[in-house]
Amino acid sequence: MKVVFAGTPEFAAVALRALHEAGFEIPLVLTQPDRPAGRGMQLQASAVKQYALAHGMAVAQPLSLRMDAKDPQRAEEARAAHERLMALDYDVMVVAAYGLILPRSTLDIKPCINIHGSLLPRWRGAAPIHRAIETGDVETGVTIMGMEEGLDTGPMMLIERVAIEDSDTTGSLHDKLAALGGRMIVEALRKMEAGQLEAVSQPEEGVTYAAKIAKEEARLDFSLPAEVLWRRVRAFNPFPGAQGQVDGVTVKLWNAELAPGQGEPGQVLALDAQGIVVACGVGALRLLELQKPGGKRLAAQEFLKSFPLAGKVFS
C-alpha cells in the first residue's frame, strides 16, 4: 500500500518510523510548518519532518488544508496541497497528532485513518494523555479510527488498553502509547490490504473531551487535596510543568508523591532525606524534584542547597 502520512510531534514520528520499517511506501509526508523553539527561538523542524527528510521522503508543510480559509496565503497553500493530493498515487492517509483540521475535501480523496491516544469515546480532543492522568483514570490506550469531520467521532477499527501506573507521567505514558500506536497502525494497514479491517461506531455513552492544556493550568492551588495535585504534577510533566510560588519566585515541580501530614495549605511541613513535604487542602505532598528559574531540574536535597524552604509557604 502507498501511504500519505500526516503528523507533527514525536508521537507521530514513532508511527511514521513503524510504517517505514514495515515496508510501506510513503510518497508524501504532511507536517506543520517549522516553529521557533529553544532559548534562541530558532525555527525547528517537527519530529516528523526530521525523520522524513532523513529517509528521503517528500515533505509538504501547508499552513492549512482549508481551501475556504479567510487568509489568502492559507487558502492558496491549501489549494496547492489539495491539488498535490489529488494528483498523487496513494491508497490511504494515516494521521497522527497532525495539528491541522482535515476538511471534507481532503477526507473525500482517499480513506483517512487516525491514531488516537485514548480509549474512545473517552478523551476525544487535543490532550488525551494529560487528561487521563489528571483525572485519575486507571487505564488508557490507543484507538485506530476512521476519520470524519467531527472531532474524533469516527468509527473504531482497533483498540488496545494500557494500565496507567502510579509512576506514570505524561512523558512516560506518551512513550508507551506512541510505541503501541506504531505497532497498531501497521497491523491495521495489513488488515486493510487483506480486506479484513472492520469498523464499528463509537458508543454514544461515555464521551469526554480532552481540552488542550493551557499554561495557566500549571499553577498549583495548594488548597486542593494532595491527591489532585499529585495527579497534576504527573500530568503536566513534561509540559507545561507544574508550578508553585515561594516568595514571588516561580518554582517548577517535576515529581512528587503523597505524604502524611496536615497544615495550612502551601505550608512547608518538613524537609527530610526523601523530599519536601507541603501541606495541601487535604493531606500533603512530598516534592521530589524541583527547578528554579534558570536552573536545572534537581532532586529535593540538591535543590535545597541553593533555595532554602524551611518555614516557607507555597502559593
Side-chain angles (χ1 to χ4, degrees):
M1 293 183 77
K2 296 179 180 179
V3 181
V4 168
F5 187 86
T8 299
E10 182 62 27
F11 183 90
V14 172
L16 177 60
R17 184 184 308 116
L19 292 170
H20 178 244
E21 292 178 351
F24 289 98
E25 184 177 345
I26 304 169
L28 180 64
V29 171
L30 298 173
T31 191
Q32 287 209 41
D34 298 359
R35 306 288 190 202
R39 291 188 176 182
M41 295 303 286
Q42 295 182 342
L43 288 179
Q44 182 171 320
S46 71
V48 163
K49 180 180 179 180
Q50 292 178 46
Y51 184 88
L53 293 182
H55 293 84
M57 302 175 192
V59 175
Q61 296 175 273
L63 290 168
S64 174
L65 293 175
R66 290 187 172 276
M67 293 184 286
D68 59 353
K70 293 182 179 179
D71 179 84
Q73 183 180 357
R74 291 175 180 269
E76 179 58 33
E77 290 195 17
R79 281 191 288 271
H82 180 75
E83 291 172 4
R84 186 171 184 177
L85 288 172
M86 289 292 291
L88 195 64
D89 177 22
Y90 72 102
D91 301 295
V92 62
M93 179 183 287
V94 170
V95 182
Y98 182 25
L100 294 183
I101 296 174
L102 269 60
R104 172 54 58 189
S105 57
T106 301
L107 296 173
D108 283 345
I109 299 174
K110 296 287 183 178
C112 296
I113 298 178
N114 181 242
I115 307 168
H116 187 74
S118 82
L119 301 174
L120 290 172
R122 186 164 178 78
W123 301 129
R124 294 174 180 172
I129 301 175
H130 295 80
R131 300 305 183 191
I133 293 177
E134 181 188 18
T135 306
D137 290 0
V138 298
E139 66 174 3
T140 185
V142 169
T143 304
I144 305 296
M145 55 175 286
M147 294 190 69
E148 54 187 34
E149 286 186 286
L151 178 63
D152 298 327
T153 58
M156 302 182 297
M157 298 165 173
L158 294 176
I159 189 164
E160 290 198 26
R161 300 173 182 273
V162 171
I164 299 178
E165 307 293 342
D166 286 351
S167 59
D168 272 325
T169 64
T170 287
S172 67
L173 191 55
H174 164 281
D175 292 350
K176 294 177 187 179
L177 297 183
L180 178 59
R183 178 176 63 76
M184 289 174 66
I185 193 60
V186 169
E187 178 185 351
L189 293 191
R190 285 178 173 158
K191 285 187 174 183
M192 178 180 280
E193 282 185 299
Q196 299 173 347
L197 187 63
E198 300 180 355
V200 296
S201 298
Q202 294 185 33
E204 295 182 2
E205 296 182 355
V207 175
T208 58
Y209 290 92
K212 184 178 179 180
I213 302 296
K215 288 186 178 181
E216 299 75 39
E217 295 182 67
R219 178 79 175 270
L220 298 187
D221 177 359
F222 283 89
S223 68
L224 295 173
E227 186 168 352
V228 172
L229 300 185
W230 170 62
R231 295 198 303 259
R232 289 186 181 176
V233 170
R234 294 162 51 220
F236 297 159
N237 180 354
F239 175 84
Q243 300 174 4
Q245 282 207 339
V246 180
D247 293 340
V249 178
T250 297
V251 177
K252 287 205 169 185
L253 313 174
W254 292 111
N255 193 10
E257 63 185 14
L258 297 176
Q262 195 68 48
E264 289 298 317
Q267 178 184 358
V268 174
L269 300 177
L271 306 172
D272 55 34
Q274 287 72 44
I276 301 158
V277 180
V278 181
C280 303
V282 177
L285 204 61
R286 180 178 287 111
L287 307 179
L288 304 174
E289 187 179 9
L290 306 89
Q291 181 181 11
K292 64 183 180 181
K296 298 179 180 179
R297 294 170 58 159
L298 297 172
Q301 290 301 309
E302 288 299 311
F303 181 84
L304 288 171
K305 292 178 181 179
S306 60
F307 202 109
L309 287 173
K312 299 294 185 179
V313 176
F314 278 86
S315 61

